[in-house]
Amino acid sequence: MNHKIIQSFWSKPFFDEQSSAEEHRLKGGWPSEKYNYLSWAFSCLQLRKHYNDVELFTDERGKFLLIDELGLPYTNVSTELDNLKDYRSDLWAIGKIYTYSLQNEPFVHIDGDAFLWECLPVELFEEPLIAQNIENEPIMYGELMEKINAKFTDIPEPLRNVDITKGHIYAINAGIIGGSDLEFFKTYTKYVFDFISKNAEHLFWINSGLFNCVYEQLLFYNLAIKNHIKIGYLFPKVTTIPEYTKTFRLVGHKTSYVHTFGVNKKSKFSYMFLDYYMRTLYPEYYNRINRLTETGINWGGVDSFKHSASSRIMETEPLKLYYDNFIVDFINIESPYMTTVFRLSDRTQIIGKEEEISLNMEFTKEDFANFWNNYGQATRIQITGAEGLKVELIPGVYKIILDQFDGKRALREVINNLIGFFLGQQEEIINLMRVVTESGDNNILKSNLESAIKEKAYEFIIDEVIVEDKLLV
């Protein structure tokens, strides 16, 4: 079944001069307007590389920016999002919701900070509903729903039975969203608009930014479950957003899809990779965006709205953070380039400290396997310390000490493998590292990488612990 590929851009949040939200003021969460423009351009251009038709739903200001100024090659443009002028700008997902409600044929909506290197899997389009992946967020959604249940006067029926006491609360990630069940989308979007309008005076009680996730992602999932409608996922085997989709570092090796949502946009590696891809793959658009951010866009004539563009980049991150960001994925993620096998010793110890409570737990190998299976993949566990004080802990922040691994050379081999992998990468990666570190000397790169990998290995290796005879990378 053919699905229409669409994107949406509601401009009001981007032009709200009173807001300090990361998504606002034309930055869209990126460190400057330039990267927001590059993001929209790269997302659109990659979609057009793989799909003949890609439609944009926006408003007059959005059309002026993306079409008239950036010249993006959408095949059709609607300005029906002008109908949302009366909605608060912090309800930034409402533009997407309204776009879903307008569809009268099967569709897939892809965010402007999501990028494809291949067509979406054909089998995905066979499902009535489509989403990026399922999420398990018991803390965030639990806290939000607790406040909503207490303060809101009208809650959509699908959300009334969400059990916030459970260790799991499922939702979808809407980096991509769509499907062929148009009746579902009519019902779903009506629920959303009723949810907002009937509780407008109560929105100040909650984090309005996170509320967008409730009405877009949590409501979608629970309505589908309530009506026994199957959701097809781009990443069907995960219950958290895959690490390898958050930045550009593993494109071509681990993934052909990247969704740089939230804080991932602030990583220098994210926006420099974005800059590199646009500069090398789409130089005409890249140069146009550079000119626009240098000279400023003349917004006169668009509702007489004037906005002075700024290409100022955020304050420089410490050099150490660059290395940290660069290696985290490769330590966390199973990679074909990391072949060293870690095996736990007969006794295993987890050490750490949270507030005034120390965690020092020792296990046999078998007991540790049971502990990790029960708690290691959970968001938090709870322990009781001195005087009965209970503290919730995140297991992933604690360290497994090096002596727990059989083989004295295990960590050294991993470090050498990682250094060899980084320094042997394709040209754009090694060039990027040289730009970021301001050094063309491979010995300096190697030394700094070795230091960073040693430090991060202890911190992150527990996140991929699989005991007994399996790989630990």
Side-chain angles (χ1 to χ4, degrees), residues 353-395:
K353 189 170 184 179
E354 182 82 7
E355 296 181 1
E356 298 303 316
I357 296 180
S358 295
L359 178 65
N360 191 335
M361 306 172 70
E362 188 171 313
F363 305 86
T364 64
K365 187 183 294 187
E366 181 178 359
D367 288 340
F368 180 81
N370 292 331
F371 169 82
W372 196 252
N373 286 336
N374 289 326
Y375 298 106
Q377 304 303 317
T379 304
R380 294 173 184 268
I381 60 173
Q382 190 178 80
I383 65 171
T384 302
E387 300 180 355
L389 178 62
K390 292 185 177 181
V391 174
E392 287 188 334
L393 302 170
I394 305 173

Side-chain angles (χ1 to χ4, degrees), residues 54-99:
V54 181
E55 297 189 15
L56 175 67
F57 289 78
T58 185
D59 45 37
E60 285 296 335
R61 289 177 181 172
K63 178 179 178 295
F64 180 78
L65 173 62
L66 298 183
I67 306 302
D68 299 342
E69 292 292 286
L70 302 190
L72 300 185
Y74 289 101
T75 51
N76 190 54
V77 180
S78 166
T79 56
E80 292 193 61
L81 300 197
D82 274 325
N83 294 326
L84 299 176
K85 291 178 179 178
D86 293 334
Y87 283 88
R88 293 167 40 157
S89 66
D90 54 354
L91 299 174
W92 42 262
I94 203 68
K96 295 174 64 179
I97 301 296
Y98 189 62
T99 297

Side-chain angles (χ1 to χ4, degrees), residues 126-283:
E126 298 173 358
E127 306 295 350
L129 299 176
I130 296 169
Q132 176 180 298
N133 63 275
I134 190 172
E135 293 182 355
N136 180 21
E137 294 283 357
I139 302 299
M140 182 183 80
Y141 286 120
E143 292 176 353
L144 284 167
M145 286 307 301
E146 185 176 16
K147 289 184 179 180
I148 288 171
N149 291 336
K151 301 297 184 180
F152 282 26
T153 56
D154 195 295
I155 299 173
E157 195 275 333
L159 293 181
R160 292 173 193 166
N161 296 320
V162 174
D163 187 349
I164 63 176
T165 66
K166 287 185 175 181
H168 60 266
I169 298 179
Y170 295 118
I172 64 155
N173 182 284
I176 69 168
I177 190 172
S180 57
D181 192 338
L182 301 180
E183 199 58 41
F184 171 88
F185 278 97
K186 299 299 182 186
T187 303
Y188 160 62
T189 55
K190 185 179 187 305
Y191 267 129
V192 173
F193 282 104
D194 288 346
F195 192 19
I196 293 171
S197 63
K198 292 178 179 178
N199 296 285
E201 61 188 55
H202 306 306
L203 293 179
F204 71 91
W205 287 108
I206 64 173
N207 182 314
S208 58
L210 293 180
F211 179 54
N212 290 279
C213 299
V214 170
Y215 68 71
E216 183 182 28
Q217 301 189 153
L218 186 64
L219 178 57
F220 182 100
Y221 178 83
N222 281 278
L223 180 61
I225 295 301
K226 174 180 177 292
N227 291 322
H228 308 289
I229 303 175
K230 185 179 179 183
I231 305 173
Y233 296 105
L234 179 59
F235 303 101
K237 296 181 180 180
V238 297
T239 55
T240 56
I241 299 169
E243 289 290 333
Y244 50 82
T245 70
K246 295 179 181 179
T247 71
F248 296 94
R249 280 164 270 172
L250 289 178
V251 170
H253 304 298
K254 186 78 174 181
T255 187
S256 59
Y257 172 85
V258 170
H259 183 194
T260 53
F261 65 95
V263 297
N264 299 290
K265 296 183 176 75
K266 286 291 193 279
S267 164
K268 186 168 185 177
F269 287 99
S270 288
Y271 59 78
M272 289 193 70
F273 263 120
L274 175 61
D275 188 280
Y276 176 85
Y277 279 125
M278 280 296 295
R279 175 165 42 87
T280 55
L281 297 179
Y282 305 106

Side-chain angles (χ1 to χ4, degrees), residues 402-454:
L402 178 61
D403 291 345
Q404 297 170 163
F405 297 104
D406 292 332
K408 300 297 183 183
R409 294 177 298 175
L411 185 58
R412 168 57 56 187
E413 290 171 3
V414 168
I415 291 171
N416 288 337
N417 285 348
L418 284 168
I419 292 172
F421 170 72
F422 291 133
L423 297 183
Q425 274 303 289
Q426 50 191 312
E427 185 177 355
E428 69 259 26
I429 294 181
I430 192 67
N431 286 342
L432 178 66
M433 289 176 61
R434 287 171 176 153
V435 171
V436 169
T437 60
E438 299 179 350
S439 172
D441 188 329
N442 273 21
N443 289 327
I444 295 177
L445 290 178
K446 181 176 179 179
S447 175
N448 287 334
L449 279 170
E450 181 174 1
S451 175
I453 291 169
K454 280 182 180 178

